[in-house]
Amino acid sequence: MTIAGDAALALHLEVAATPTPGNVDRKRDAAGLRFETMQAGAVGAERGLATLADGAPVGDGFEQAVAGMVDAAGENTQFGSLLLLAPLVKAATEEHLSPEGVGRVVDRTTIADAVAFYRALDQVDVAVPDPPPDWDALDARRGSDAIPAVREEGVTMADVLARSAATDQNGAEWMEGFPRTFRIAEHITSGEGSILDRAADAHLRQLAAEPDTLVRTRHGVAEARAIQDRARNLLEAETDAIDHFAADLVERGINPGTTADLLAAGLFVALRRGVRP
Amino acid sequence: MTIAGDAALALHLEVAATPTPGNVDRKRDAAGLRFETMQAGAVGAERGLATLADGAPVGDGFEQAVAGMVDAAGENTQFGSLLLLAPLVKAATEEHLSPEGVGRVVDRTTIADAVAFYRALDQVDVAVPDPPPDWDALDARRGSDAIPAVREEGVTMADVLARSAATDQNGAEWMEGFPRTFRIAEHITSGEGSILDRAADAHLRQLAAEPDTLVRTRHGVAEARAIQDRARNLLEAETDAIDHFAADLVERGINPGTTADLLAAGLFVALRRGVRP
């Protein structure tokens, strides 16, 4: 399988793994998001992922993947997953697929990559935490309106993600050598059962490990911590109890989308390490 | 979305549509075949489908799609679907996506396309009906061992498929301008509900319309007709009754795989006509 093919397959497997409480899975749609829309997004993103493997810069390839996703799905389905997959695909192509390898990819990002990142934001409606006060001109919600400030201040894509690292798990992945991604990959690689069962288990463990960024942004830190606590209490539970938790989150419209992003990234690493469906 | 992207998405949607009795769907795996293996096959096939849209001959593109599928899935997951999608992708690229357009693609197939088709057969273990007595040297089960006879007798890929048209729905599609495919596409295009619900309904109608080739080949004509009768009796039934039928077929190891092939082809046409997930 090609590197881009494994990245696309990781997106497809993430959607199918069940139960992944609060996120779309094989058994249930999430609040306002359907299984088949995510399938379309995953297919649409693949061409952009392939340009990354063919040598496109991280920012351009990410922007193309987001454009393909939106064209195919009609909405934002996997923006955060693609933000993680872009440097991982580059690392798999040009470096080692390791914390050090992806760290070198992050370190090499440029101002042009940051510009492409802000252009990509124009295409989607993403929920992001409030930026620090001195970062107002570079707030992700500005999209391409932030590009003059990007150029003026000379910030790279890594600089942009660094600013969100304290409040966003995906930003933290970029800055810290993708520890959550590689931990999830290790869990999937060393686990038992089908790849989808291992993925669902890894999703629950990640949910139990820390509050999900998207839940915290949309519903506040207390809700995010409550969901973390419930996940922790279910780590040794039967599937029925986890399914009950999943149904409850869907009903309440609570979607731990950043945990799904991390799962897609971890699945990609596991696939590259030889785990097959 | 690109033409190849829609072809890949059609494969993904076919796997997800539920209930599709006897075939893998979102609710259940089929006998000996898992959901995620079909996801991998669909991702793996896309590159070959893209070469068709980029101008590769039908045979070569089909062979590449099958090779990508087997590389990704480790087994035959969508050989029959790809056999239908290959000329449809060519028609969408070079002709009209209509019975006449795909008919012209079929008419233009060459001896080289037939050679590639037999090479593709080496990669999979397909169940095919016994060929006519005068066709022994060209039995699909010979794979590339049939290539000298292909060259000697000067048969095209259309000639090969014509020989199976009386006993194989996919061969009949090739010869008759894809009437089942376009009927399914019309049903999906004009239907109500989600694209997956429409697809499942189209699958049941096709199953009710005629005996499935793969069931007839593996289990005999009486079983194939019995399944057709059961499907016909369920056309106005509630989903629960169709789910019961689906569970029964899976339990008995009966897989109407040619009907799934036709559904994937019909989904592709519907996507090209503007139906979106």
Side-chain angles (χ1 to χ4, degrees), chain A residues 64-119:
Chain A
Q64 285 185 52
V66 170
M69 170 195 83
V70 171
D71 175 55
E75 62 184 288
N76 174 25
T77 47
Q78 285 116 338
F79 184 92
S81 298
L82 294 173
L83 187 59
L84 299 178
L85 286 171
L88 290 166
V89 165
K90 292 297 276 184
T93 313
E94 299 170 5
E95 301 276 349
H96 291 288
L97 189 48
S98 64
E100 298 72 26
V102 70
R104 284 191 290 272
V105 170
V106 168
D107 289 345
R108 285 202 298 266
T109 60
T110 63
I111 298 171
D113 291 320
V115 167
F117 170 73
Y118 279 97
R119 274 198 309 258

Side-chain angles (χ1 to χ4, degrees), chain A residues 1-2 5 9 12-13 16 25-26 28-29 34-36 39-40 43 46-47 71-72 194 196 276-277, chain B residues 1-2 5 9 12-13 16 25-29 34-36 39-40 43 46-47 71-72 194 196 276-277:
Chain A
M1 184 81 117
T2 62
L9 181 55
H12 285 288
L13 296 172
D25 67 23
R26 192 171 168 187
R28 58 190 74 74
D29 295 342
R34 288 151 87 128
F35 190 88
E36 58 269 34
Q39 290 184 299
V43 172
E46 183 168 353
R47 183 170 275 225
D71 175 55
S194 78
L196 294 184
R276 302 311 307 175
Chain B
M1 185 82 116
T2 62
L9 181 54
H12 284 288
L13 295 173
D25 68 22
R26 191 171 168 187
K27 280 196 198 150
R28 58 190 75 73
D29 294 342
R34 288 151 86 130
F35 190 88
E36 58 268 34
Q39 290 184 299
V43 172
E46 184 169 351
R47 183 170 275 226
D71 175 55
S194 77
L196 294 184
R276 302 311 308 175

Side-chain angles (χ1 to χ4, degrees), chain B residues 178-229:
Chain B
F178 290 69
R180 298 160 187 82
T181 297
F182 285 102
R183 191 171 64 223
I184 290 169
E186 174 58 27
H187 187 79
I188 294 170
T189 306
S190 64
E192 291 184 0
S194 77
I195 191 168
L196 294 184
D197 287 345
R198 299 181 199 190
D201 194 53
H203 179 275
L204 188 66
R205 282 166 186 267
Q206 174 56 40
L207 209 52
E210 56 185 4
D212 179 88
T213 297
L214 188 63
V215 175
R216 189 168 60 184
T217 303
R218 287 199 178 144
H219 305 278
V221 68
E223 184 68 74
R225 288 212 179 110
I227 284 167
Q228 179 191 3
D229 286 343

Side-chain angles (χ1 to χ4, degrees), chain A residues 129-139 141-142 153 163 167:
Chain A
D130 287 325
D134 64 339
W135 196 252
D136 179 64
L138 293 164
D139 187 339
R141 289 166 288 200
R142 294 188 184 275
E153 302 185 24
R163 276 294 171 139
T167 54

Side-chain angles (χ1 to χ4, degrees), chain A residues 203-227:
Chain A
H203 180 275
L204 188 66
R205 282 168 186 267
Q206 174 56 41
L207 209 52
E210 56 186 3
D212 179 89
T213 297
L214 188 63
V215 176
R216 189 168 58 184
T217 303
R218 286 199 178 144
H219 305 279
V221 67
E223 184 69 75
R225 288 212 179 112
I227 284 167

